[in-house]
Amino acid sequence: MRRPDPSIRFRAARQDEADALTEIVLSAKASWGYAPDQLEAWRPSLAVTRSQIQRQPVFVAEVARRTVGFYSLRVTADGCELDNCWIVPGQMRRGYGRALLAHAIDSARARGAAAIRIDADPNAEPFYLACGAVTVGRLPAPIPGLPSRCRPQMRLPL
């Protein structure tokens, strides 16, 4: 994976940014065409909380002091899981997702992980595959209108 653009600045998220980060998650998912009522149903499970920011690595990517995306890692005894990796919709397809993932890889390596687990949205699978992840399974995740929807379970070797 190529190294990130040097104009991207990474910093630890602040607890007071939890609501703004949640809105990035929801707006990014909305860009894939999910219905507003489905997004609201998912809100509790997709919400970024102050305690999450306090207890796990959460990093914000900025360009010219504007947030373009963020990621978080869930660190467990058996490694790291990419808990979030989202780009502001107007900033997509500019290389920021790859930059976030490269930073997450460095962060996971620093914690001794050999791989990053990813419970991906089906729409994100091609991105993660292009970045070197492999699909190791699928978790049924039906929603109205998509009864056979599954979330790819992925592994990104470090």
Side-chain angles (χ1 to χ4, degrees), residues 118-149:
I118 306 166
D119 178 1
D121 184 285
N123 294 289
E125 184 177 24
F127 167 76
Y128 292 121
L129 289 171
C131 292
V134 293
T135 303
V136 295
R138 297 199 180 276
L139 183 67
I143 59 173
L146 293 171
S148 61
R149 179 179 178 270

Side-chain angles (χ1 to χ4, degrees), residues 1-4 10 57 59 71 73 80 82 98-113 116 156-158:
M1 185 178 327
R2 64 178 189 239
R3 297 319 297 166
F10 292 93
F59 287 92
Y71 78 88
L73 287 176
C80 290
L82 188 64
R98 285 184 181 268
L100 280 170
L101 196 54
H103 195 276
I105 287 169
D106 290 345
S107 185
R109 277 188 183 132
R111 288 165 172 77
I116 297 175
L156 179 60
L158 307 183

Side-chain angles (χ1 to χ4, degrees), residues 8 11 20 23 35 40 42 50 63 65-66 78 96 101 108 116 124 129-130 132 148 153:
I8 301 170
R11 63 169 178 78
E23 291 309 312
E40 282 307 310
W42 281 334
R50 294 169 83 83
V63 174
R65 296 186 177 180
R66 293 186 57 200
D78 63 338
Y96 302 143
L101 196 54
I116 297 175
L129 289 171
S148 61
Q153 303 303 290

Side-chain angles (χ1 to χ4, degrees), residues 55-116:
R55 72 177 186 275
Q56 67 187 51
V58 182
F59 287 92
V60 173
E62 295 179 326
V63 174
R65 296 186 177 180
R66 293 186 57 200
T67 298
V68 296
F70 80 99
Y71 78 88
S72 63
L73 287 176
R74 182 173 299 149
V75 181
T76 64
D78 63 338
C80 290
E81 179 179 351
L82 188 64
D83 197 28
N84 285 289
C85 187
W86 300 101
I87 301 298
V88 172
Q91 303 298 318
M92 292 176 173
R93 303 205 176 273
R94 297 182 184 186
Y96 302 143
R98 285 184 181 268
L100 280 170
L101 196 54
H103 195 276
I105 287 169
D106 290 345
S107 185
R109 277 188 183 132
R111 288 165 172 77
I116 297 175

